[in-house]
Amino acid sequence: MAGSQWELPPELCCRPMAFVALTGLDVVYNAVHRAIWDAFCANRRADRVPISFKVLPGDHEYPKCRTKRTSYEWYIPKGILKTGWMNKHLNLVPALVVLFYELDWDDPQWKEKQSECATKVEIVRTSLQGRNTKVAVVLIQKKTPLPPGEDLVASERAQALCHSCDLSGKSLFVLPHTDHLVGYIIRLENAFYEHAQTYYYTEIRRVKSHKEFLNKTTHQLLFVRHQFKIAFFSELKQDTQNALKYYRTAYSLVHELRAHETNMLEIKTMAGFINYKICRLCFQHNTPLDAIAQFRKHIDLCKKKIGSAELAFEHSAWMSKQFQSFGELFDEAIKLGLTAIQTQNPGFYYQQAACYSQDRKQLALQLSTPKIAGASYPSPDPLDTQGAGLDFYGQRPWRQGQQSIDPPDAEKEKTGILALQIKERDVPHSELIIALLSNAVAQFKKYKCPRMKSHLMVQMGEEYYHAKDYTKALKLLDYVMCDYRTERWWGLLTAILTTALRCAYLMASIKDYVIYCMELLGRASTLKEEQKSRIEKNLIKVLTNEVPDAEPECDPSSVSAARSLWNDRMALAGSNELTIEFSSFNVYMPRRKNSFMFTSF
């Protein structure tokens, strides 16, 4: 839950496209049908209409349509947006169902096939169960049709077929299977797109018609829900300007909701979703400054909505995800042609996401109190939804559908919070932080910000150190130290050398250990004299085949493993020769020599 809970749902992040279901096609065993399907879905260029096609059986059962509500007088909403709603309209409920049927105008069994086609259409309508989804029929024919008006038999039979299938003339199409199949398919899908547009327009009007039944006392959640739905249907209709307008309205309304600890997460979740949509559309409309302004407004409104103090780490996780998502949107827009600059690029957003992840890590460390550390995971699991998932975005699994200010069951609330805290302790925080810092470093490298890049690489090295991956930590820190030596940042260099020395000790890397000791003993080092004295004693121990003392602040469990490694290294005394070049390091050494040879190893 700790990972997936903060991920934006894929149906929110994708570009919404009209969903059209194709039935009557046997794409496995019928070569003609397979060619038709390939023409619809293969090699779709950017200039073709945005439609998502799916082949379904003729008797496919679509999601049931709920009974239309005629009054909201006693209705109390249980949440803002259902978790399955977006996916339902993207992938489950089509705007148009198209029935493909092989029938030529001069077919000798015309009457029987006309009746069969009408039956298939009726099966489709029955399976749609009262939805406003449009239905169309495409006749697959072997011959190229004559121009309109020249084939009187075709005109009569087309009219008869429309009557028996209860279709308008605009919903009956002919598809000749000839050499120009792709051209016919493109004309067909343009017509399908118009039908889909009509469907989504009808859905928008249907949602808008509910407004007159709502009141702002008990239906605040519905105002947000309906504006979001209208905006989403507008996106499916490819009316992005209106979609942006309705998303902005929904965003304003979500911040007008009465917020308290029990619904804070739901409000923030929906605010995050709507903000993502607004920013994405602003980038799509090539108005990046609007996207940045919206994001800043979003952060200002939400950064203090922490919620329960016991779950403060959740707020940091959520804030981190907001910055990361915006950084990804910004980066995606740049790949599509937007120009970024040194002072305004995605790297800053990834960096801030990493900072919030570091805050989350610190808050998680505070969960190591005896009360929480000694607690066993609650049984039954309060986070278990029996495989059904949450009903509404942003709600707690143990009190779904509850909108009261106080938790309905104090004991369940207590065990639910404990379960979240225990799970948080197992989150690989350093991995999350390193991934975000790595993204930031790549951006700052791209936009030629060397000092920012070095600064974040140091943080990455420190995170690898905390994650006990000392090899990677040392590799990063060693790379960065070259820059700090060149620019004479002695205080920063000393701090980095101190961490590098710990890594070298814990890895029992003799060469690195000697180098860092010598450099920390040099005149450029800003360490206090007593610290230098301790390091000098350790260096002498190494040079005389003794195991050095552990560096301060090293992890106790790693220290015991390091001592074992050092003992193994010292057992090889006299069998190795170690040469160290000091010309690039800031150490004190005689004028005539720039290298020392230690033959005791």
Side-chain angles (χ1 to χ4, degrees):
M1 185 173 180
S4 62
Q5 182 187 7
W6 309 116
E7 294 300 322
L8 296 176
E11 53 268 28
L12 180 84
C13 302
C14 71
R15 178 194 176 186
M17 293 192 291
F19 173 34
V20 173
L22 309 180
T23 70
L25 291 177
D26 182 357
V27 297
V28 178
Y29 299 107
N30 189 311
V32 172
H33 291 190
R34 181 73 210 182
I36 291 170
W37 171 240
D38 287 343
F40 271 114
C41 64
N43 302 317
R44 291 190 67 83
R45 300 189 308 271
D47 59 344
R48 289 174 71 170
V49 289
I51 298 180
S52 170
F53 291 107
K54 192 179 287 187
V55 173
L56 297 173
D59 59 350
H60 176 77
E61 283 197 20
Y62 300 93
K64 290 183 179 179
C65 184
R66 290 187 305 157
T67 307
K68 299 291 186 287
R69 192 178 296 281
T70 55
S71 171
Y72 284 88
E73 189 175 354
W74 301 104
Y75 178 67
I76 305 295
K78 294 181 177 181
I80 300 175
L81 184 68
K82 285 207 166 186
T83 52
W85 188 84
M86 285 185 285
N87 181 61
K88 181 171 74 173
H89 289 281
L90 285 170
N91 301 306
L92 302 177
V93 177
L96 173 70
V97 178
V98 183
L99 171 66
F100 285 81
Y101 190 73
E102 294 191 34
L103 180 59
D104 285 284
W105 297 126
D106 58 356
D107 192 291
Q109 295 178 308
W110 170 264
K111 283 289 182 184
E112 292 85 349
K113 289 195 174 182
Q114 175 185 317
S115 178
E116 185 184 16
C117 182
T119 302
K120 287 179 179 289
V121 170
E122 188 56 35
I123 290 170
V124 169
R125 283 206 177 98
T126 304
S127 64
L128 287 166
Q129 304 181 61
R131 291 193 176 274
N132 294 323
T133 300
K134 307 293 179 183
V135 179
V137 172
V138 174
L139 300 181
I140 303 171
Q141 299 186 341
K142 298 183 182 71
K143 303 173 185 175
T144 304
L146 295 172
E150 293 187 17
D151 192 339
L152 298 178
V153 174
S155 299
E156 288 175 10
R157 291 192 165 181
Q159 191 173 359
L161 186 61
C162 286
H163 179 73
S164 62
C165 295
D166 193 19
L167 291 171
S168 71
K170 292 183 178 179
S171 298
L172 178 64
F173 305 94
V174 172
L175 176 61
H177 186 254
T178 64
D179 294 338
H180 305 290
L181 181 64
V182 174
Y184 282 113
I185 292 292
I186 290 174
R187 288 171 62 186
L188 264 185
E189 65 184 26
N190 287 336
F192 295 167
Y193 183 65
E194 287 182 21
H195 279 293
Q197 295 275 83
T198 305
Y199 167 78
Y200 292 121
Y201 174 73
T202 305
E203 290 300 288
I204 289 169
R205 288 189 62 185
R206 181 181 61 79
V207 177
K208 283 183 176 180
S209 70
H210 295 169
K211 187 176 181 180
E212 61 185 281
F213 302 111
L214 307 183
N215 66 74
K216 288 205 170 184
T217 307
T218 54
H219 299 141
Q220 276 190 312
L221 303 184
L222 294 184
F223 281 99
V224 180
R225 181 192 298 177
H226 291 172
Q227 292 298 308
F228 183 92
K229 286 185 175 183
I230 294 168
F232 196 80
F233 281 134
S234 297
E235 275 197 282
L236 285 164
K237 191 171 171 281
Q238 304 308 311
D239 182 0
T240 55
Q241 291 292 348
N242 269 323
L244 183 58
K245 181 181 82 171
Y246 289 116
Y247 279 131
R248 288 190 188 279
T249 305
Y251 189 81
S252 298
L253 289 169
V254 83
H255 284 292
E256 290 177 13
L257 297 174
R258 290 186 291 271
H260 38 80
E261 281 192 9
T262 52
N263 74 348
M264 189 73 78
L265 181 60
E266 184 174 12
I267 289 174
K268 286 195 301 187
T269 299
M270 283 308 302
F273 285 6
I274 301 167
N275 171 74
Y276 181 88
K277 283 289 192 181
I278 294 171
C279 293
R280 187 184 184 92
L281 288 172
C282 286
F283 280 125
Q284 192 176 316
H285 294 160
N286 201 27
T287 54
L289 293 180
D290 288 350
I292 292 167
Q294 163 62 30
F295 183 72
R296 286 176 177 168
K297 171 186 171 184
H298 173 60
I299 293 303
D300 287 341
L301 287 170
C302 295
K303 63 185 176 183
K304 292 184 180 177
K305 293 186 175 180
I306 298 171
S308 169
E310 294 172 292
L311 298 174
F313 58 84
E314 285 192 335
H315 181 67
S316 295
W318 181 84
M319 289 289 288
S320 174
K321 192 63 193 177
Q322 301 310 297
F323 278 95
Q324 181 186 352
S325 299
F326 188 79
E328 289 167 352
L329 282 177
F330 199 170
D331 194 25
E332 183 184 328
I334 290 165
K335 288 173 183 174
L336 293 172
L338 181 71
T339 303
I341 55 176
Q342 265 193 346
T343 54
Q344 189 61 262
N345 69 71
F348 290 103
Y349 299 95
Y350 288 125
Q351 180 195 8
Q352 198 59 41
C355 287
Y356 275 108
S357 279
Q358 287 166 338
D359 291 345
R360 177 187 182 183
K361 179 182 173 183
Q362 293 305 314
L363 289 165
L365 290 173
Q366 295 172 19
L367 299 176
S368 301
T369 59
K371 180 181 175 182
I372 300 170
S376 56
Y377 194 82
S379 181
D381 186 354
L383 307 182
D384 185 18
T385 57
Q386 307 297 322
L390 293 172
D391 289 336
F392 291 91
Y393 286 114
Q395 293 193 352
R396 301 296 185 188
W398 62 86
R399 51 171 164 82
Q400 295 192 61
Q402 300 290 335
Q403 290 294 325
S404 56
I405 295 176
D406 296 318
D409 187 326
E411 191 57 37
K412 275 189 179 180
E413 192 74 13
K414 186 178 175 183
T415 57
I417 288 172
L418 178 62
L420 289 171
Q421 290 173 329
I422 291 172
K423 280 188 174 288
E424 183 66 17
R425 289 185 324 200
D426 299 329
V427 172
H429 295 99
S430 288
E431 287 181 23
L432 299 176
I433 295 165
I434 289 165
L436 291 167
L437 288 172
S438 179
N439 287 340
V441 166
Q443 293 292 331
F444 286 121
K445 182 179 179 181
K446 179 180 176 181
Y447 292 100
K448 296 179 174 58
C449 308
R451 287 185 178 172
M452 283 298 295
K453 185 188 82 167
S454 297
H455 169 61
L456 297 179
M457 285 179 74
V458 171
Q459 290 187 22
M460 282 179 69
E462 289 172 347
E463 281 302 327
Y464 274 122
Y465 170 77
H466 294 307
K468 301 183 182 180
D469 191 340
Y470 304 119
T471 305
K472 287 182 180 176
L474 199 55
K475 186 178 179 181
L476 276 168
L477 295 175
D478 196 49
Y479 178 86
V480 174
M481 281 190 279
C482 298
D483 297 332
Y484 287 111
R485 287 189 192 101
T486 305
E487 297 192 12
R488 297 174 177 266
W489 294 93
W490 305 130
L492 295 173
L493 179 62
T494 300
I496 298 167
L497 280 167
T498 303
T499 305
L501 184 62
R502 289 196 200 108
C503 291
Y505 172 80
L506 294 169
M507 292 165 59
S509 173
I510 296 173
K511 182 175 180 179
D512 290 323
Y513 189 82
V514 170
I515 289 172
Y516 300 140
C517 281
M518 293 291 288
E519 194 160 7
L520 283 168
L521 292 171
R523 286 177 295 182
S525 169
T526 59
L527 289 181
K528 294 179 180 177
E529 287 305 316
E530 57 266 27
Q531 292 172 300
K532 287 187 176 183
S533 176
R534 179 187 57 76
I535 290 171
E536 185 180 19
K537 288 174 183 175
N538 273 338
L539 178 60
I540 292 169
K541 282 186 177 183
V542 172
L543 298 179
T544 55
N545 297 326
E546 292 181 37
V547 176
D549 294 333
E551 290 301 306
E553 299 177 27
C554 283
D555 180 67
S557 61
S558 299
V559 167
S560 57
R563 284 203 182 98
S564 176
L565 287 171
W566 276 103
N567 284 324
D568 292 341
R569 297 284 190 277
M570 293 304 147
L572 299 173
S575 62
N576 294 321
E577 190 174 277
L578 180 65
T579 302
I580 301 174
E581 293 288 338
F582 282 123
S583 56
S584 60
F585 300 104
N586 295 292
V587 298
Y588 178 77
M589 49 190 178
R591 286 179 178 273
R592 295 180 183 177
K593 293 185 180 180
N594 65 352
S595 68
F596 295 148
M597 183 175 288
F598 302 109
T599 56
S600 59
F601 300 103

